Amino acid sequence: MTHPSTEKQAAVIYCRVSSKKQVRDGHGLESQEARCREYAQAHGYAVEAVFPDDVSGGGDFMKRPGMIALLSYLDAQPEKSYVVIFDDLKRFARDTEFHLQLRKAFRARKARVECLNFKFDDSPEGKFIETILAAQGALEREQNGRQVTQKMRARMQNGYWVFQAPVGYRYAKTPTHGKLLVPDEPVASIVTEALEAYACGRLDSQAEVKRFLESRPAFPKNGYGTVRQQEVTRLLTRPIYAGFLCHADWDIDWVKGHHEPLVSLATFEKVQERRASGTKAPARKNISEDFPLRGFVLCDDCGKPLTACWSKGKTKKYPYYLCDTRGCPSCRKSIPQAEIEGAFEEIVRSLQPTRRLIELATLMFKNAWQQRSEQTKARLAAFRKDLADIEAETERLLERIIAATNDSVVKAYETKIEQLERRRLSLTEKLQDGELPQGRFEEFIELSLKFLANPWNLWRSGRITLQRTVLRLAFSERISYSRNEGYRTPKTTLPFKTLADFSGGNGMMVEPKGVEPSTS
């Protein structure tokens, strides 16, 4: 006896929402799936799989992971025919071209498409209605995109960042501003330190900034534990860290933001100047704590920086410094590490002044502080005058723009006004930050005096970052080293040079050893 077939029609369900927020807040995927399952049960379909999507794809169905998985599922079982069920025609494709391409893709796989609120009809009239509805969906998508862009642009013009929070910031809801960027510690402090260090030259190059960021465990890195060079460039060039917003596509240029800046505008401009002028050659990528003087000490014969290496002996390795310049009389002639670094340590020790000299230096600093206060008042008065001149010049240019008829002349005036606006912003910030900080004088120079009193403490720490700080702060130039005579006279920075000159040979500076010639 033959029984009629009871096998149900195979079906799959496709659900889509435009954002992950709809998944979290609106439960859109679950509700769509529930309605589609109810539809399938009413029509006697057997649902084999559900393919969700929580990205829009901009109308292109091949940018949706769920749709790609659905088509792959159909390709894997070419002998079966399926019904593809979805909740609404707008979930199918909100672009006329992609709608038609997707319909063609399903027909090629012999899959029938069914929608809960629209009946597909292959007649000429049905195809026309379907095309009209698909075009309507595309229109709504483009109108929504335009409306969202307009709202974002308006909010940005009002001083609020509207995109993903930059590194060092996070979004927080505030009573007065709503969603606002706030510093994300400890990353914010790392960004501030990196920008200020690059601006003042403590970090010589972008490569050093990159290594500095990678050395901080809290700074976000990629899957390989490194920071991409593009991220470093972005960090150094974004006005948002100075408190300003820019967006070229929206004609938004240097709008003052409501968020807290991580660095001053003066620091940001200094960073741009150093990038434009070309900074020093980056420190060698393979620099290590083994050879802190590599690249700083110069060969006395050719004037080129000494390199360093480990030389393999019979039983162990030995550290050496050497010149690697072809044609130099000292090329490849090794100098033991203990010899060259031991003599340098004596130089660092010699920088330590006596207690009496530090007391005199403190009085000098105090006098300089008072003079600086008077200079600051005069400088702030000059800033106010410059601001008034800029405002007057801007007014004159605006009047000329109104009277001008030539487009190139108008463009030139607008460019000049933009330059004046940048200067106005810079002067305004200098006025705000120009006052000397309030507090006791001793508090502000405490760290400086500690370094001047004994730079040896930093050097003997053995930390490469602190040792490089000593090299930059204590010496104005690199030191030459002769294989036969030792170090030449080092040129120290102004504070140490002043203390040495002020000592006047009265034994107020520690006597160096092994330096040619003597500093006393």
Side-chain angles (χ1 to χ4, degrees), residues 195-205 208 270 274 279-280 472:
L195 292 172
E196 292 179 345
Y198 183 78
C200 72
R202 182 163 65 88
L203 297 176
D204 280 341
S205 65
E208 287 198 28
K270 183 64 176 177
R274 294 198 68 232
T279 57
K280 297 178 182 177
R472 289 196 178 105

PDB file of all heavy atoms in Angstrom, residues 195-205 208 270 274 279-280 472:
ATOM      1  N   LEU A 195      52.403  63.237  23.825  1.00  0.00           N
ATOM      2  CA  LEU A 195      52.343  64.465  23.041  1.00  0.00           C
ATOM      3  C   LEU A 195      53.290  65.535  23.594  1.00  0.00           C
ATOM      4  O   LEU A 195      53.999  66.211  22.834  1.00  0.00           O
ATOM      5  CB  LEU A 195      50.904  64.991  23.009  1.00  0.00           C
ATOM      6  CG  LEU A 195      49.898  64.143  22.233  1.00  0.00           C
ATOM      7  CD1 LEU A 195      48.487  64.669  22.434  1.00  0.00           C
ATOM      8  CD2 LEU A 195      50.234  64.128  20.752  1.00  0.00           C
ATOM      9  N   GLU A 196      53.303  65.697  24.904  1.00  0.00           N
ATOM     10  CA  GLU A 196      54.188  66.706  25.505  1.00  0.00           C
ATOM     11  C   GLU A 196      55.657  66.323  25.348  1.00  0.00           C
ATOM     12  O   GLU A 196      56.507  67.189  25.112  1.00  0.00           O
ATOM     13  CB  GLU A 196      53.824  66.888  26.977  1.00  0.00           C
ATOM     14  CG  GLU A 196      52.452  67.541  27.180  1.00  0.00           C
ATOM     15  CD  GLU A 196      52.101  67.701  28.647  1.00  0.00           C
ATOM     16  OE1 GLU A 196      52.775  67.068  29.486  1.00  0.00           O
ATOM     17  OE2 GLU A 196      51.157  68.461  28.952  1.00  0.00           O
ATOM     18  N   ALA A 197      55.954  65.036  25.465  1.00  0.00           N
ATOM     19  CA  ALA A 197      57.337  64.587  25.307  1.00  0.00           C
ATOM     20  C   ALA A 197      57.822  64.792  23.872  1.00  0.00           C
ATOM     21  O   ALA A 197      58.974  65.169  23.636  1.00  0.00           O
ATOM     22  CB  ALA A 197      57.466  63.119  25.707  1.00  0.00           C
ATOM     23  N   TYR A 198      56.949  64.557  22.897  1.00  0.00           N
ATOM     24  CA  TYR A 198      57.332  64.782  21.501  1.00  0.00           C
ATOM     25  C   TYR A 198      57.474  66.275  21.221  1.00  0.00           C
ATOM     26  O   TYR A 198      58.379  66.705  20.491  1.00  0.00           O
ATOM     27  CB  TYR A 198      56.294  64.165  20.573  1.00  0.00           C
ATOM     28  CG  TYR A 198      56.644  64.275  19.107  1.00  0.00           C
ATOM     29  CD1 TYR A 198      57.573  63.421  18.530  1.00  0.00           C
ATOM     30  CD2 TYR A 198      56.049  65.236  18.297  1.00  0.00           C
ATOM     31  CE1 TYR A 198      57.899  63.525  17.188  1.00  0.00           C
ATOM     32  CE2 TYR A 198      56.369  65.352  16.963  1.00  0.00           C
ATOM     33  CZ  TYR A 198      57.293  64.492  16.406  1.00  0.00           C
ATOM     34  OH  TYR A 198      57.621  64.604  15.072  1.00  0.00           O
ATOM     35  N   ALA A 199      56.599  67.089  21.810  1.00  0.00           N
ATOM     36  CA  ALA A 199      56.646  68.533  21.582  1.00  0.00           C
ATOM     37  C   ALA A 199      57.933  69.149  22.117  1.00  0.00           C
ATOM     38  O   ALA A 199      58.523  70.027  21.481  1.00  0.00           O
ATOM     39  CB  ALA A 199      55.433  69.211  22.220  1.00  0.00           C
ATOM     40  N   CYS A 200      58.388  68.693  23.276  1.00  0.00           N
ATOM     41  CA  CYS A 200      59.583  69.275  23.882  1.00  0.00           C
ATOM     42  C   CYS A 200      60.870  68.591  23.418  1.00  0.00           C
ATOM     43  O   CYS A 200      61.962  69.046  23.743  1.00  0.00           O
ATOM     44  CB  CYS A 200      59.484  69.216  25.408  1.00  0.00           C
ATOM     45  SG  CYS A 200      59.656  67.565  26.115  1.00  0.00           S
ATOM     46  N   GLY A 201      60.754  67.473  22.674  1.00  0.00           N
ATOM     47  CA  GLY A 201      61.935  66.810  22.151  1.00  0.00           C
ATOM     48  C   GLY A 201      62.441  65.663  22.992  1.00  0.00           C
ATOM     49  O   GLY A 201      63.429  65.034  22.633  1.00  0.00           O
ATOM     50  N   ARG A 202      61.780  65.367  24.103  1.00  0.00           N
ATOM     51  CA  ARG A 202      62.217  64.221  24.898  1.00  0.00           C
ATOM     52  C   ARG A 202      62.055  62.935  24.094  1.00  0.00           C
ATOM     53  O   ARG A 202      62.845  62.000  24.231  1.00  0.00           O
ATOM     54  CB  ARG A 202      61.428  64.149  26.209  1.00  0.00           C
ATOM     55  CG  ARG A 202      61.866  63.008  27.112  1.00  0.00           C
ATOM     56  CD  ARG A 202      61.377  63.216  28.531  1.00  0.00           C
ATOM     57  NE  ARG A 202      59.939  63.166  28.619  1.00  0.00           N
ATOM     58  CZ  ARG A 202      59.234  62.037  28.804  1.00  0.00           C
ATOM     59  NH1 ARG A 202      59.867  60.879  28.894  1.00  0.00           N
ATOM     60  NH2 ARG A 202      57.929  62.060  28.892  1.00  0.00           N
ATOM     61  N   LEU A 203      61.016  62.880  23.270  1.00  0.00           N
ATOM     62  CA  LEU A 203      60.879  61.804  22.287  1.00  0.00           C
ATOM     63  C   LEU A 203      61.213  62.410  20.938  1.00  0.00           C
ATOM     64  O   LEU A 203      60.511  63.295  20.453  1.00  0.00           O
ATOM     65  CB  LEU A 203      59.452  61.228  22.301  1.00  0.00           C
ATOM     66  CG  LEU A 203      59.012  60.562  23.608  1.00  0.00           C
ATOM     67  CD1 LEU A 203      57.551  60.125  23.520  1.00  0.00           C
ATOM     68  CD2 LEU A 203      59.888  59.366  23.938  1.00  0.00           C
ATOM     69  N   ASP A 204      62.296  61.943  20.328  1.00  0.00           N
ATOM     70  CA  ASP A 204      62.838  62.600  19.142  1.00  0.00           C
ATOM     71  C   ASP A 204      62.038  62.362  17.871  1.00  0.00           C
ATOM     72  O   ASP A 204      62.066  63.173  16.963  1.00  0.00           O
ATOM     73  CB  ASP A 204      64.280  62.119  18.904  1.00  0.00           C
ATOM     74  CG  ASP A 204      65.258  62.837  19.811  1.00  0.00           C
ATOM     75  OD1 ASP A 204      64.891  63.898  20.325  1.00  0.00           O
ATOM     76  OD2 ASP A 204      66.371  62.329  20.011  1.00  0.00           O
ATOM     77  N   SER A 205      61.361  61.245  17.764  1.00  0.00           N
ATOM     78  CA  SER A 205      60.737  60.872  16.499  1.00  0.00           C
ATOM     79  C   SER A 205      59.448  60.116  16.753  1.00  0.00           C
ATOM     80  O   SER A 205      59.134  59.724  17.881  1.00  0.00           O
ATOM     81  CB  SER A 205      61.693  59.984  15.689  1.00  0.00           C
ATOM     82  OG  SER A 205      61.907  58.759  16.384  1.00  0.00           O
ATOM     83  N   GLU A 208      60.051  56.764  18.208  1.00  0.00           N
ATOM     84  CA  GLU A 208      60.202  56.728  19.661  1.00  0.00           C
ATOM     85  C   GLU A 208      58.860  56.866  20.356  1.00  0.00           C
ATOM     86  O   GLU A 208      58.632  56.278  21.418  1.00  0.00           O
ATOM     87  CB  GLU A 208      61.164  57.834  20.102  1.00  0.00           C
ATOM     88  CG  GLU A 208      62.609  57.554  19.764  1.00  0.00           C
ATOM     89  CD  GLU A 208      63.564  58.423  20.567  1.00  0.00           C
ATOM     90  OE1 GLU A 208      63.196  58.818  21.694  1.00  0.00           O
ATOM     91  OE2 GLU A 208      64.657  58.704  20.071  1.00  0.00           O
ATOM     92  N   LYS A 270      53.221  72.968  18.559  1.00  0.00           N
ATOM     93  CA  LYS A 270      54.628  72.603  18.604  1.00  0.00           C
ATOM     94  C   LYS A 270      54.853  71.220  18.001  1.00  0.00           C
ATOM     95  O   LYS A 270      55.843  70.991  17.281  1.00  0.00           O
ATOM     96  CB  LYS A 270      55.122  72.629  20.059  1.00  0.00           C
ATOM     97  CG  LYS A 270      56.601  72.329  20.215  1.00  0.00           C
ATOM     98  CD  LYS A 270      57.468  73.372  19.552  1.00  0.00           C
ATOM     99  CE  LYS A 270      58.940  73.098  19.805  1.00  0.00           C
ATOM    100  NZ  LYS A 270      59.810  74.065  19.105  1.00  0.00           N
ATOM    101  N   ARG A 274      57.236  70.395  14.723  1.00  0.00           N
ATOM    102  CA  ARG A 274      58.311  69.400  14.712  1.00  0.00           C
ATOM    103  C   ARG A 274      58.088  68.374  13.606  1.00  0.00           C
ATOM    104  O   ARG A 274      59.038  67.914  12.971  1.00  0.00           O
ATOM    105  CB  ARG A 274      58.404  68.704  16.073  1.00  0.00           C
ATOM    106  CG  ARG A 274      58.832  69.630  17.198  1.00  0.00           C
ATOM    107  CD  ARG A 274      59.323  68.856  18.392  1.00  0.00           C
ATOM    108  NE  ARG A 274      60.580  68.180  18.090  1.00  0.00           N
ATOM    109  CZ  ARG A 274      60.810  66.894  18.284  1.00  0.00           C
ATOM    110  NH1 ARG A 274      59.856  66.116  18.773  1.00  0.00           N
ATOM    111  NH2 ARG A 274      61.969  66.354  17.994  1.00  0.00           N
ATOM    112  N   THR A 279      62.166  65.993  12.253  1.00  0.00           N
ATOM    113  CA  THR A 279      62.835  65.804  13.532  1.00  0.00           C
ATOM    114  C   THR A 279      64.120  65.009  13.345  1.00  0.00           C
ATOM    115  O   THR A 279      64.482  64.604  12.252  1.00  0.00           O
ATOM    116  CB  THR A 279      61.905  65.072  14.508  1.00  0.00           C
ATOM    117  OG1 THR A 279      61.515  63.825  13.920  1.00  0.00           O
ATOM    118  CG2 THR A 279      60.672  65.887  14.777  1.00  0.00           C
ATOM    119  N   LYS A 280      64.795  64.773  14.456  1.00  0.00           N
ATOM    120  CA  LYS A 280      66.037  64.003  14.412  1.00  0.00           C
ATOM    121  C   LYS A 280      65.772  62.590  13.933  1.00  0.00           C
ATOM    122  O   LYS A 280      64.651  62.090  14.008  1.00  0.00           O
ATOM    123  CB  LYS A 280      66.662  63.953  15.801  1.00  0.00           C
ATOM    124  CG  LYS A 280      67.064  65.313  16.337  1.00  0.00           C
ATOM    125  CD  LYS A 280      67.627  65.179  17.721  1.00  0.00           C
ATOM    126  CE  LYS A 280      67.996  66.529  18.305  1.00  0.00           C
ATOM    127  NZ  LYS A 280      68.490  66.411  19.685  1.00  0.00           N
ATOM    128  N   ARG A 472      69.818  63.957  27.723  1.00  0.00           N
ATOM    129  CA  ARG A 472      69.194  65.101  27.071  1.00  0.00           C
ATOM    130  C   ARG A 472      69.210  66.355  27.955  1.00  0.00           C
ATOM    131  O   ARG A 472      69.362  67.471  27.452  1.00  0.00           O
ATOM    132  CB  ARG A 472      67.749  64.768  26.689  1.00  0.00           C
ATOM    133  CG  ARG A 472      67.644  63.774  25.540  1.00  0.00           C
ATOM    134  CD  ARG A 472      66.232  63.784  24.961  1.00  0.00           C
ATOM    135  NE  ARG A 472      66.139  62.883  23.830  1.00  0.00           N
ATOM    136  CZ  ARG A 472      65.560  61.704  23.854  1.00  0.00           C
ATOM    137  NH1 ARG A 472      65.028  61.265  24.980  1.00  0.00           N
ATOM    138  NH2 ARG A 472      65.494  60.946  22.781  1.00  0.00           N
TER     139      ARG A 472
END
